[in-house]
Amino acid sequence: MASDENYYKILGVSKTSSAEEIKKAYRKLALTYHPDRNKSKEASGKFKEITQAYEVLSDPSKRQAYDQYGSAAFSQGSPGGGDPFGGGFGGQGGQGRYGPFSYTYTTGSGANDFDFGGFSDPFEIFEQFFGGGSPFGQRARRPVYAITIDFLEAMHGTTKKISIGGKTQTIKIPKGVNSGSRIRFGDYDIVLEVNPDKRFQREGANIISEIEVSFIKAALGDTIDVDTIDGTVKLRMPSGTQPDSIIRLRQRGAPVLQSSARGDHYVRVKVVVPKHLNSKQKELLEQFEKMDKKKGWF
């Protein structure tokens, strides 16, 4: 290990932090100190330091060894058993990790056979995670263009005509994309920005919306119209619906990219209480209160 410092301290987490908390801390620091984004003198060393810390703490077995023996667990002949950055580029093949990404490769018969965990090459991994930059060296950057689409266009997919270099071209945008989604098209990349829709809030593949109903309808129940990304649907609201209740519409959420799956749509019910009542309405409510003092309205 290049550093004997406390890995938890390097990532700014505690020994009781969850794997997800450690991953979030690493991502934040990696984006801050990645050499392609941070040109300060100490950025490269800091980036290597936090990557080493994450390499150990993200692996349950290595984390357990580190908690027991410290960084000495990874020295040769130690109980932890060797270098956590094992593998490399020697011989006829190897494996390794860089940050949260693993890679393996083999060579033979004069041909290369690469497997980078679902990415076509290691450079693509770092373009996806950092927006550019790679520990494997520099290469020519692909031109990047940004376009903006509406929320429902992102939900259903669309085609857009764009002009690049004086030429008009048509690109196909798949359903389920989100802000920051990146599409490879020809010799360049397209980065998408999705305009928000005031009716819908997106959380991953799920959609959340709100609907206002009167307290009478909430108490008695009713069939109400709800806007979804597929249009208006009828929703049966049961009697006695409480304020801020959430009703689930299965398979009415956002499409999942490169999949037939969909998320769900959650409708939050906002019960509206009238601010002004006439004398007759007040009289009826007072009668209702007298009839049901113990149970209350709901």
Side-chain angles (χ1 to χ4, degrees):
M1 270 303 159
S3 172
D4 291 326
E5 292 188 54
N6 187 304
Y7 290 149
Y8 293 101
K9 184 177 179 181
I10 289 172
L11 295 182
V13 297
S14 68
K15 292 189 69 173
T16 59
S17 294
S18 66
E20 184 62 27
E21 289 171 332
I22 290 173
K23 184 176 181 179
K24 285 182 178 180
Y26 169 74
R27 283 178 175 268
K28 182 178 180 180
L29 290 169
L31 289 171
T32 299
Y33 290 102
H34 189 270
D36 268 12
R37 294 185 172 219
N38 190 326
K39 302 301 181 181
S40 64
K41 293 181 179 180
E42 66 273 11
S44 180
K46 185 68 175 178
F47 183 72
K48 182 178 180 181
E49 186 179 67
I50 61 177
T51 302
Q52 287 180 332
Y54 180 77
E55 165 63 24
V56 172
L57 299 185
S58 64
D59 185 300
S61 60
K62 292 175 184 175
R63 183 178 179 181
Q64 182 178 10
Y66 175 75
D67 287 344
Q68 186 172 1
Y69 300 105
S71 59
F74 306 106
S75 60
Q76 295 296 329
S78 68
D83 182 2
F85 292 91
F89 294 99
Q92 296 298 308
Q95 61 183 1
R97 285 178 61 91
Y98 198 89
F101 306 107
S102 60
Y103 56 86
T104 60
Y105 70 95
T106 59
T107 60
S109 303
N112 294 332
D113 178 23
F114 295 90
D115 175 11
F116 293 102
F119 292 88
S120 62
D121 59 53
F123 304 101
E124 190 174 339
I125 295 174
F126 284 83
E127 286 176 358
Q128 293 269 345
F129 187 63
F130 295 114
S134 165
F136 300 92
Q138 297 295 321
R139 71 168 184 174
R141 298 294 183 84
R142 292 166 58 88
V144 178
Y145 300 90
I147 64 172
T148 301
I149 61 175
D150 291 333
F151 186 86
L152 290 182
E153 289 179 323
M155 293 297 96
H156 299 298
T158 186
T159 57
K160 289 288 183 180
K161 289 186 177 181
I162 59 175
S163 180
I164 297 177
K167 296 181 179 180
T168 299
Q169 303 185 56
T170 301
I171 64 171
K172 183 177 181 180
I173 299 173
K175 59 184 179 181
V177 296
N178 206 346
S179 289
S181 293
R182 193 177 184 115
I183 299 173
R184 290 203 163 196
F185 185 79
D187 296 327
Y188 50 85
D189 291 354
I190 302 295
V191 176
L192 299 174
E193 179 68 26
V194 179
N195 284 327
D197 189 304
K198 63 180 181 180
R199 297 170 298 171
F200 307 116
Q201 176 185 344
R202 181 176 180 178
E203 292 188 3
N206 295 322
I207 302 292
I208 300 171
S209 66
E210 291 186 353
I211 189 166
E212 293 185 349
V213 300
S214 68
F215 75 98
I216 297 297
K217 288 186 176 181
L220 299 179
D222 196 10
T223 298
I224 56 179
D225 290 334
V226 175
D227 287 336
T228 73
I229 62 173
D230 299 315
T232 303
V233 300
K234 298 289 186 181
L235 173 64
R236 175 62 185 170
M237 184 177 63
S239 61
T241 296
Q242 300 296 300
D244 292 324
S245 293
I246 294 178
I247 302 175
R248 180 184 184 185
L249 299 174
R250 293 180 180 273
Q251 298 293 303
R252 291 284 187 175
V256 178
L257 275 172
Q258 300 179 343
S259 170
S260 60
R262 288 186 63 171
D264 298 324
H265 185 139
Y266 294 89
V267 181
R268 181 180 289 110
V269 179
K270 308 296 290 186
V271 178
V272 180
V273 178
K275 296 181 179 180
H276 305 287
L277 298 172
N278 59 38
S279 58
K280 183 61 176 179
Q281 290 171 326
K282 290 181 180 179
E283 181 182 346
L284 290 173
L285 288 175
E286 288 170 354
Q287 291 177 5
F288 179 81
E289 184 180 26
K290 290 177 181 179
M291 294 172 61
D292 202 18
K293 276 187 176 181
K294 293 184 179 179
K295 294 183 180 179
W297 289 359
F298 302 100

